Amino acid sequence: MEAVVEKANMERAYRRVMANKGAPGADGMPADQLADHLKQHWPTLRERLLASEYHPSPIRAVEIPKPKGGTRQLGIPTVTDRLIQQALLQVLTPIFDPGFSASSYGYRPRRSAQQAVSAMKGHVAAGHRWVVDLDLKAFFDRVNHDLLMARVARRIRDKRVLRLIRRYLEAGMFQDGLAAPRRQGTPQGGPLSPLLANILLDDVDKELERRGHRFCRYADDMQVYVRSRRAGERVMTSLSDFLESSLRLTVNRDKSAVDRPWNRGYLGYTLTRHKRPKLTLAKASLQRLMQRVREILKRGRGRNIRRVIEELTPVLRGWANYFSLVDVERPLEALDGWVRRRLRCVIWRQWKRPWIRRRKLLALGLDDQRAWKSAGNGRGPWWNAGASHMNQALPRKWFERLGLISVLDTVKRT
């Protein structure tokens, strides 16, 4: 605990919390008020931590949509508790992380989802062309506190740290004006939860390593790669039994499967079924981005198109950076074309009258006869956005001059 509250560690934790910003917790205090709060209360807070007398505030419940439908509940700690959790994380990570499996990639220093995806591709290319895709039902909500704390206590002897971690696990969830106590789970939203999840699931990693399996795990996203369906079914049965009996976790039988890897996907990617498999986009990843683009463009119907592109660009760039491992270019090329067509659709709607459309098309280089014919064709915005007159008037270079990036070119550069 002395290492947790040490000045340099707390300063580093403070910088991280401020960089992450985040929403206020149950006490309503925003991150930008943390400095003033600490100036007044840190000496007392420090003494309470050292004396094992500090009790965390309840966490604020927030529901967010899940990529595959439904909602996920996050627990947002107060900014003070985020600071203390971050300080704990910085001390605990060097203790636990070196012992984690090389096949564990989630929420670890110098590890990433892209590394997990590359490993997945390597396992399949090596001939392990069946995958055991395990889905844990509501993992973060069902973590058993006693089992988790027993694993933390294997490496941590300071009773003050152990008490504080358990208090964070048991901190009430503040929802609809009431703080409900919690008996299980480690709510997503605090800095400490990902490390605690890795500590618990490291038992699964060690069991898979003991059996000699090839696998990838990113937090609770877990896949094991085998050479036959029969081997996969054996692994599915034995691993499900291990998870349920040893860790008291529930395998979602409806979402788990033994299948070909190109039918399942992993972390937003999937594979082609070639002998030398190539990485490509999972359909759901493309659909989520398209929905995000639609939302931005819907808000942009009355705005200057340059401003719309400014809002769109960081979304496209961040998405392209994540999917920089994609080998198959055709879906990215089609996505670039679709984005430009959606923008042309917004522009066509902004040109509300045929005479405005004629004038705009003339200014963009179309001859008078074609401009007249196109402006009054009576077709809808989506049809016109894909028609040759709008492609000629607003080509790719026109959008590039306004700052629109190409997803395909960004992926190639990355």
Side-chain angles (χ1 to χ4, degrees), residues 21-27 29 57-64 73-79 81-82 85 172-174 187-191:
K21 297 180 182 177
D27 63 354
M29 185 170 76
S57 301
I59 56 179
R60 182 167 67 89
V62 176
E63 290 194 344
I64 62 169
Q73 189 175 71
L74 299 185
I76 309 300
T78 65
V79 66
D81 281 322
R82 292 206 296 273
Q85 284 195 35
M173 182 80 78
F174 198 79
Q188 293 169 275

Side-chain angles (χ1 to χ4, degrees), residues 76-133:
I76 309 300
T78 65
V79 66
T80 303
D81 281 322
R82 292 206 296 273
L83 175 73
I84 297 168
Q85 284 195 35
Q86 181 63 37
L88 271 170
L89 177 68
Q90 291 166 184
V91 171
L92 296 178
T93 296
I95 296 171
F96 285 96
D97 191 79
F100 288 156
S101 168
S103 297
S104 167
Y105 298 91
Y107 307 106
R108 297 182 59 192
R110 296 173 295 281
R111 296 211 152 223
S112 68
Q114 285 90 342
Q115 290 174 332
V117 170
S118 293
M120 176 264 288
K121 179 183 176 183
H123 295 322
V124 176
H128 295 71
R129 295 170 72 85
W130 288 90
V131 62
V132 181
D133 192 357

Side-chain angles (χ1 to χ4, degrees), residues 168-335:
Y168 274 120
L169 291 172
E170 295 177 349
M173 182 80 78
F174 198 79
Q175 194 170 21
D176 299 326
L178 297 172
R182 288 186 302 113
R183 298 289 177 257
Q184 62 179 7
T186 171
Q188 293 169 275
L192 204 52
S193 287
L195 175 64
L196 297 178
N198 277 333
I199 290 171
L200 183 65
L201 290 175
D202 187 57
D203 277 24
V204 186
D205 299 342
K206 295 299 189 289
E207 179 66 15
L208 289 169
E209 288 176 342
R210 187 184 67 78
R211 299 180 189 183
H213 287 306
R214 292 175 177 243
F215 69 97
C216 291
R217 184 175 66 78
Y218 190 93
D220 60 330
D221 285 321
M222 190 185 321
Q223 290 192 341
V224 185
Y225 307 95
V226 295
R227 292 185 180 273
S228 69
R229 177 182 284 277
R230 181 177 292 181
E233 289 171 348
R234 285 198 303 267
V235 171
M236 176 66 80
T237 300
S238 62
L239 196 56
S240 297
D241 290 344
F242 177 84
L243 286 162
E244 292 175 351
S245 62
S246 297
L247 299 182
R248 301 183 198 174
L249 298 171
T250 303
V251 175
N252 189 329
R253 309 281 177 172
D254 294 331
K255 293 184 179 180
S256 300
V258 178
D259 205 343
R260 295 292 195 178
W262 42 85
N263 293 332
R264 299 300 293 181
Y266 191 52
L267 299 177
Y269 286 81
T270 191
L271 290 169
T272 64
R273 59 181 69 203
H274 298 97
K275 188 173 182 180
R276 293 183 177 178
K278 296 181 178 180
L279 287 169
T280 187
L281 293 171
K283 287 183 180 178
S285 303
L286 191 58
Q287 290 167 356
R288 284 196 294 272
L289 176 67
M290 292 171 75
Q291 182 57 35
R292 181 81 177 96
V293 170
R294 288 188 188 99
E295 291 168 0
I296 292 172
L297 297 189
K298 188 174 182 181
R299 294 198 301 268
R301 288 180 182 175
R303 296 163 57 197
N304 181 287
I305 202 67
R306 189 185 295 273
R307 297 282 179 84
V308 176
I309 290 173
E310 286 175 358
E311 184 177 355
L312 196 58
T313 296
V315 174
L316 295 177
R317 182 174 286 116
W319 188 89
N321 287 337
Y322 179 79
F323 288 101
S324 59
L325 300 181
V326 164
D327 300 313
V328 182
E329 294 183 355
R330 187 174 296 175
L332 303 178
E333 190 175 6
L335 177 62

Side-chain angles (χ1 to χ4, degrees), residues 25-67:
D27 63 354
M29 185 170 76
D32 58 11
Q33 293 181 13
L34 179 60
D36 291 338
H37 178 78
L38 292 174
K39 285 177 184 176
Q40 183 176 355
H41 298 289
W42 173 243
T44 303
L45 184 59
R46 182 178 183 276
E47 290 306 314
R48 289 173 64 198
L49 287 166
L50 289 171
S52 198
E53 294 174 354
Y54 179 77
H55 290 264
S57 301
I59 56 179
R60 182 167 67 89
V62 176
E63 290 194 344
I64 62 169
K66 295 171 70 173

